[in-house]
Amino acid sequence: MNKKLYIVHCVDTEGPLHEPLAATFERLFNIYHIRLDATKENLFKLQNKLIDFNGLEEEIAKTFRKELIQYNDSWDKIDLMLDKIMSSSYRNKYLDSYGKGIVYNWHCMDNVGFKTNERRRDLGFGNIYNHYRNKILEHGDLDRIHWHFHPLSFNREGHVSSTSYDNSYSILHEILCRRLIDQEWFPTVNRAGFHAIRQDSSFFLEQWIPFDFSNQSMYSDEDMQSDTHRYGDWRRAPKQWIPYHPSYGDYQVPGNMNRYTTKCLNIGTRINLLNDYEIEMAFKDVQANGAAILAFTNHDFRDMEIDIDDIYPRIARIAEDFKDVAFVHSDAVNAMQNTVFTDIGTDTLQLASKIVQENSMTKLTVNCIKGNVFGSQPYLAIKTKEGKYYHDNFNEREHLKSWEYIFDGSTINIESIDKVTVAANDKYGNQAIIFIELN
């Protein structure tokens, strides 16, 4: 079958999360402006619609249902879940049209920059990434790790997220620099925290990351709850399960930006849920376009097995009505490549670098010797001998082909530097990382 629907299971990968009973009722107030005593009895009443809230009973019960507030609050609980759902026997319960089992896309964030940690998150650079890198290797290296970031709120509480990259750039770049230098990893795919893109994060993605799985538009907006508009409002975005180039003036509408944004709905939560109608429309989008991406997301701090045992049988059942379409379990990069490009090759991006002396200055030069970088220049990460991490921009030598960085008193003297690493993607999602020999 030439017509293919790529199934991309994204996971907002944030590690353990604890929610005390008082915090549950605080969310009740923040979302619905309802005050109740934080008791187990009142929670039972909420979950069973036993209190009159003038028509909000169903919605409130949905928000606080048992499955949503039973959190994996330790790595032991998460690992127990992972060892089951990442096993071959479990993956192969749900085969695609070619007999391939489930593929997960783990969008790992770093819980850093916080002043408080009431929800007992695992704080530290690389903690979640390293945990999942080890788990993936333990279970056959079948999955991929991608990018997830929650901008910091003004109060920097560990359980509060914001939307501003502008207010978070110092910590964002330190995360990226550490991932690049310490883990030899650089992002190709984004999943926005709280599904929230704004103009500042849109411009950031346009410099570095070619693929974005954040669009939460729906053929029917009936699932959108009012309190979520302040974060992931995608009502103007395309509803098709087809990637699009965003506009510079409005990330929600098609335009002339270079990256691709695609649709990704939720499973195992209270809003923008992937229902049967949306799945059917994804298959119809394939029939009309030849290929499409059915992407969905949930969190590792909830029991993912419940969501998986619900969504994958529904996809297989609906696929029976579309005999001319194959559905394919896929990582996010391959799904994008096979959906939007016809001219993609392999190893189409190559960078070269050297340290040179020019005009009495010590410079790092970087040349693109094969392919073209996505964005305007590669990403530069620096680690000093004191253990500090910095990102800086390059000077342009030849437009989109050659760049330089000058080591001196206006930047950093080369004698103070421990490591320098440079990375770039191309528009196809191919990647090049080079490690600079300072000697």
Side-chain angles (χ1 to χ4, degrees):
M1 290 180 283
N2 293 325
K3 297 180 178 180
K4 294 176 182 174
L5 178 62
Y6 293 92
I7 310 300
V8 178
H9 187 164
C10 301
V11 185
D12 291 355
T13 310
E14 304 176 11
L17 183 70
H18 168 74
E19 182 175 87
L21 190 61
T24 302
F25 281 84
E26 182 180 342
R27 285 201 295 123
L28 174 68
F29 177 76
N30 291 337
I31 298 171
Y32 299 107
H33 308 292
I34 294 171
R35 288 284 191 196
L36 281 180
D37 291 337
T39 65
K40 291 183 178 180
E41 180 182 1
N42 279 339
L43 179 60
F44 177 85
K45 291 179 179 179
L46 293 177
Q47 293 170 332
N48 291 276
K49 297 172 281 188
L50 299 179
I51 303 176
D52 183 7
F53 292 119
N54 296 319
L56 290 175
E57 298 83 11
E58 185 71 34
E59 188 174 319
I60 291 173
K62 181 179 177 182
T63 300
F64 297 101
R65 71 179 190 269
K66 184 178 180 181
E67 294 83 1
L68 290 186
I69 62 174
Q70 285 185 330
Y71 295 97
N72 290 324
D73 56 7
S74 69
W75 278 118
D76 286 342
K77 291 181 180 179
I78 288 181
D79 285 345
L80 188 65
M81 175 188 73
L82 294 179
D83 286 336
K84 181 171 184 178
I85 68 171
M86 296 177 77
S87 67
S88 296
S89 59
Y90 187 85
R91 291 177 193 263
N92 293 333
K93 285 172 57 180
Y94 305 111
L95 302 176
D96 64 14
S97 299
Y98 298 96
K100 180 181 177 182
I102 296 173
V103 174
Y104 303 107
N105 294 267
W106 304 100
H107 293 257
C108 294
M109 70 176 288
D110 284 10
N111 293 310
V112 291
F114 302 124
K115 293 181 178 179
T116 65
N117 189 23
E118 297 175 10
R119 301 296 178 87
R120 303 177 192 171
R121 292 183 180 272
D122 186 353
L123 303 185
F125 290 101
N127 290 8
I128 296 169
Y129 174 93
N130 289 330
H131 195 97
Y132 275 85
R133 181 68 263 173
N134 292 335
K135 273 295 174 187
I136 290 170
L137 292 174
E138 181 183 331
H139 288 279
D141 202 18
L142 301 174
D143 304 330
R144 295 295 174 263
I145 292 178
H146 300 299
W147 176 249
H148 190 56
F149 178 69
H150 282 212
L152 300 175
S153 64
F154 288 128
N155 59 24
R156 298 209 168 192
E157 295 181 4
H159 62 286
V160 178
S161 182
S162 187
T163 62
S164 174
Y165 271 41
D166 281 340
N167 293 333
S168 306
Y169 272 130
S170 61
I171 200 70
L172 186 158
H173 281 298
E174 185 171 357
I175 294 170
L176 275 178
C177 288
R178 286 174 178 267
R179 291 264 189 107
L180 184 51
I181 291 173
D182 297 343
Q183 276 90 27
E184 303 180 6
W185 180 93
F186 191 70
T188 307
V189 181
N190 176 63
R191 261 282 311 147
F194 276 98
H195 329 288
I197 299 292
R198 298 292 187 270
Q199 285 301 87
D200 55 348
S201 50
S202 176
F203 294 147
F204 177 87
L205 295 174
E206 192 67 8
Q207 293 182 79
W208 315 115
I209 304 178
F211 303 143
D212 179 31
F213 281 66
S214 299
N215 175 11
Q216 290 243 301
S217 62
M218 298 185 70
Y219 280 98
S220 172
D221 289 333
E222 63 185 16
D223 241 358
M224 176 64 83
Q225 295 183 8
S226 60
D227 69 291
T228 63
H229 288 320
R230 69 187 304 269
Y231 293 111
D233 180 2
W234 287 90
R235 287 173 291 176
R236 299 186 306 279
K239 301 181 184 300
Q240 292 78 19
W241 293 92
I242 307 294
Y244 70 97
H245 292 294
S247 165
Y248 278 95
D250 185 350
Y251 62 89
Q252 291 196 36
V253 302
N256 296 322
M257 282 185 148
N258 293 317
R259 75 180 182 278
Y260 276 101
T261 295
T262 199
K263 183 168 165 175
C264 182
L265 296 183
N266 300 328
I267 59 175
T269 187
R270 65 186 176 92
I271 58 168
N272 293 359
L273 293 172
L274 180 60
N275 55 41
D276 286 358
Y277 179 66
E278 289 285 346
I279 298 172
E280 291 171 5
M281 293 305 296
F283 278 96
K284 290 180 179 179
D285 285 340
V286 176
Q287 290 179 323
N289 296 278
I293 300 174
L294 176 63
F296 46 89
T297 184
N298 55 349
H299 286 85
D300 64 334
F301 53 66
R302 294 193 178 102
D303 185 358
M304 290 175 53
E305 184 182 355
I306 297 172
D307 307 331
I308 294 168
D309 289 342
D310 169 62
I311 195 65
Y312 283 90
R314 287 199 280 129
I315 293 171
R317 173 175 52 80
I318 292 170
E320 291 295 318
D321 296 329
F322 297 89
K323 299 293 187 182
D324 58 332
V325 176
F327 66 97
V328 184
H329 296 324
S330 178
D331 73 82
V333 174
N334 285 339
M336 278 285 198
Q337 290 173 335
N338 291 317
T339 300
V340 299
F341 298 112
T342 59
D343 59 340
I344 185 171
T346 58
D347 300 323
T348 55
L349 182 65
Q350 188 174 348
L351 303 177
S353 67
K354 59 183 177 179
I355 302 292
V356 300
Q357 295 290 327
E358 288 184 354
N359 302 321
S360 301
M361 293 183 290
T362 303
K363 298 180 178 181
L364 163 66
T365 64
V366 176
N367 297 299
C368 185
I369 60 176
K370 188 176 182 182
N372 296 285
V373 301
F374 176 82
S376 59
Q377 60 178 240
Y379 189 92
L380 173 64
I382 299 170
K383 180 184 179 183
T384 69
K385 292 177 180 177
E386 294 179 342
K388 295 182 179 179
Y389 293 78
Y390 296 105
H391 161 69
D392 207 348
N393 52 32
F394 285 99
N395 299 327
E396 188 177 72
R397 291 166 70 97
E398 180 183 354
H399 184 54
L400 298 181
K401 285 298 180 183
S402 181
W403 304 266
E404 68 180 23
Y405 188 78
I406 300 171
F407 299 102
D408 62 12
S410 297
T411 57
I412 304 176
N413 290 313
I414 196 167
E415 295 81 8
S416 303
I417 296 174
D418 179 32
K419 294 180 180 179
V420 177
T421 308
V422 175
N425 297 300
D426 67 12
K427 70 176 183 179
Y428 304 109
N430 297 310
Q431 189 174 92
I433 298 177
I434 52 177
F435 306 94
I436 314 304
E437 292 292 338
L438 296 179
N439 294 333

